[in-house]
Amino acid sequence: MGEADENGRAMTVGGLRGLLRDREGELLLDLVYVFALTRISERLIVDFSTQRQVVLPEFGQTALLLLALWLTWVRAAIVTSAFDAQKWAIRLVCVLVMFGTMIMAVTLPFAFGDRAVVFAVTYVTIQLGTPVVLLLGRYDRERHTPARALCWAAVSAVPWIAGAVLFPQSPARGVLWTLALALDYTGLVHGWPVPGLGRTRIDDWKLAGEHIAERFQQFIVIALGETILLTGITFAEQFTPDRVVPSVVSFATTILMWRIYFHRAGAVLPAAIEAIPSPARLGRSAFHTHLIIVTGILATGVGHALVIHHPVLHEDPLWLAVILGGPALFLVGRSRLEYEVFARVSPSRVIGLLTLAALAPVTVHLPPLIATSTAATVLVGIAAWDTIRERRHPGEAPSPPGSSRQQR
């Protein structure tokens, strides 16, 4: 996230390849996110089990909290992909994000209630603390990028803190926090433009393409692991014969999503990012793509947890938003990833999405287990299609839009 200085503190893309080892701090950070994602899933389960007149506001609040957690992870991934993770300042950033994320996760169920101040202060501390540490570590020759990020974080801190302190149990809190989060995402996407300091261009992000791709892969594994964890916890709480089948379907669905994500596009993402002149450009696009994929995985896990709780004789049309919507969202993100890597989208993804959409009116009044089983069947078809294509076209090379291969 900045220009390399003469002392070599900030690495070029080529020089960073040797830093892809000794990343235990990042792995520990990801384990914290297992806890955080589980808390998000638990909150979503409550959202879909609450009174109908408040479900949309509750769902919106949970989505906002997920976006805040995702942004903290993205900022940490950028820092560790741009600089030597063994430097003291980068280790400190990892510890700051790690501890802050844990505190944020603890407050999640009541983040819009009596724990709002703790959540907001912790989030703001992470956003302000990261650029401050980078400034102290002198990781940018002119210190412009951390200074720009710090300015934007200071501005967004105002609605975060004001919403938590001044508007208890008020819709105004949600409005202010939405504004604050929009500022944070806008700053990241546009390079934190500041009068007199300019903005950070995407090409200024000297990211290790292979490393940032591995970080995406690791987070997908974390999200899938959280789904298995949620399935196991839910089944353990109600260990009865009628919950065996929905638990098996949930586990099978997770394995299918793992297979579909890592088939070709997910597996060769590191090579695809390295294949283009500006790895940061594809890396930035992949931030948004993987947010869609992760949201789809979490929603799918929540849908299965609801079904394990109520395997039969419980028909709630709203549950289809996660039972069918979760896999659909996953396929949307996976299709975008495939386009980013290969500049095309497999017909199986489109057919799968259309099938899930067609199933919604058919399964709306059927037991939810039928809906989850049918969605799993759609994923089986996509995985089978991928296997057949792989045998017919082995070793397909990535060709992302903008790469030298694509330009030819």
Side-chain angles (χ1 to χ4, degrees):
M1 286 173 51
E3 299 82 12
D5 62 9
E6 59 271 14
N7 297 323
R9 284 177 178 151
M11 305 293 180
T12 64
V13 173
L16 278 169
R17 287 182 178 175
L19 301 175
L20 300 180
R21 294 179 290 274
D22 301 323
R23 298 283 182 171
E24 65 281 352
E26 294 171 81
L27 295 177
L28 188 57
L29 172 63
D30 286 345
L31 291 178
V32 175
Y33 271 87
V34 174
F35 173 56
L37 295 181
T38 300
R39 300 288 277 180
I40 288 288
S41 295
E42 291 172 346
R43 186 181 167 101
L44 275 173
I45 291 173
V46 174
D47 291 345
F48 281 93
S49 304
T50 190
Q51 297 178 0
R52 190 63 72 245
Q53 61 266 27
V54 297
V55 66
L56 288 179
E58 290 290 336
F59 177 76
Q61 292 174 3
T62 304
L64 187 148
L65 299 175
L66 173 61
L67 289 172
L69 284 171
W70 176 253
L71 187 61
T72 61
W73 182 87
V74 166
R75 292 287 301 277
I78 291 174
V79 170
T80 57
S81 294
F83 304 108
D84 184 353
Q86 299 304 306
K87 298 295 186 180
W88 70 266
I90 309 308
R91 286 180 178 270
L92 183 56
V93 168
C94 284
V95 172
L96 173 65
V97 176
M98 198 183 308
F99 182 72
T101 300
M102 183 189 71
I103 299 301
M104 290 168 62
V106 169
T107 67
L108 277 180
F110 308 100
F112 276 83
D114 55 7
R115 298 180 186 175
V117 174
V118 177
F119 178 88
V121 169
T122 303
Y123 175 86
V124 167
T125 300
I126 294 174
Q127 299 304 313
L128 291 173
T130 298
V132 167
V133 171
L134 293 179
L135 285 170
L136 294 176
R138 300 175 181 270
Y139 280 97
D140 186 291
R141 180 177 60 186
E142 297 177 350
R143 303 189 186 185
H144 283 174
T145 297
R148 295 166 187 143
L150 181 61
C151 291
W152 275 75
V155 172
S156 70
V158 175
W160 276 114
I161 302 302
V165 175
L166 302 179
F167 298 97
Q169 306 297 331
S170 169
R173 172 178 292 168
V175 174
L176 286 173
W177 281 10
T178 300
L179 171 63
L181 197 60
L183 287 172
D184 290 331
Y185 272 89
T186 300
L188 176 65
V189 170
H190 295 285
W192 306 287
V194 176
L197 294 178
R199 70 182 183 94
T200 302
R201 299 172 302 165
I202 189 64
D203 292 332
D204 293 334
W205 292 11
K206 305 300 182 181
L207 302 182
E210 185 178 359
H211 175 257
I212 195 66
E214 288 178 348
R215 296 296 293 132
F216 290 136
Q217 293 172 336
Q218 289 166 4
F219 202 89
I220 292 298
V221 171
I222 289 297
L224 292 170
E226 186 279 331
T227 300
I228 294 176
L229 177 64
L230 184 63
T231 298
I233 292 175
T234 307
F235 188 29
E237 290 176 349
Q238 299 171 305
F239 192 72
T240 57
D242 60 338
R243 291 177 171 84
V244 173
V245 173
S247 298
V248 171
V249 171
S250 177
F251 181 81
T253 300
T254 303
I255 298 302
L256 287 166
M257 289 191 294
W258 164 68
R259 162 65 178 167
I260 292 170
Y261 172 81
F262 281 99
H263 177 77
R264 295 289 183 85
V268 303
L269 180 61
I273 292 183
E274 290 285 357
I276 62 177
S278 175
R281 194 171 301 278
L282 179 53
R284 184 176 67 176
S285 177
F287 289 146
H288 310 304
T289 298
H290 282 77
L291 173 60
I292 298 172
I293 295 174
V294 168
T295 304
I297 292 173
L298 294 179
T300 302
V302 168
H304 284 281
L306 290 169
V307 176
I308 295 172
H309 275 301
H310 306 281
V312 295
L313 302 178
H314 188 90
E315 301 172 5
D316 191 337
L318 188 63
W319 286 10
L320 292 181
V322 284
I323 293 175
L324 298 180
L329 199 58
F330 168 78
L331 290 178
V332 169
R334 181 56 180 74
S335 298
R336 174 170 165 152
L337 176 65
E338 185 174 354
Y339 180 78
E340 290 170 339
V341 173
F342 293 117
R344 61 159 174 79
V345 176
S346 298
S348 63
R349 313 289 186 245
V350 179
I351 294 173
L353 284 168
L354 293 177
T355 303
L356 289 172
L359 286 172
V362 177
T363 58
V364 67
H365 295 302
L366 296 177
L369 179 57
I370 294 179
T372 56
S373 301
T374 306
T377 303
V378 172
L379 296 180
V380 168
I382 295 174
W385 179 298
D386 289 344
T387 301
I388 294 171
R389 179 179 176 82
E390 184 176 22
R391 291 176 178 175
R392 292 179 177 176
H393 307 280
E396 182 180 10
S399 181
S403 69
S404 57
R405 185 180 295 107
Q406 177 70 15
Q407 289 169 355
R408 290 199 298 268

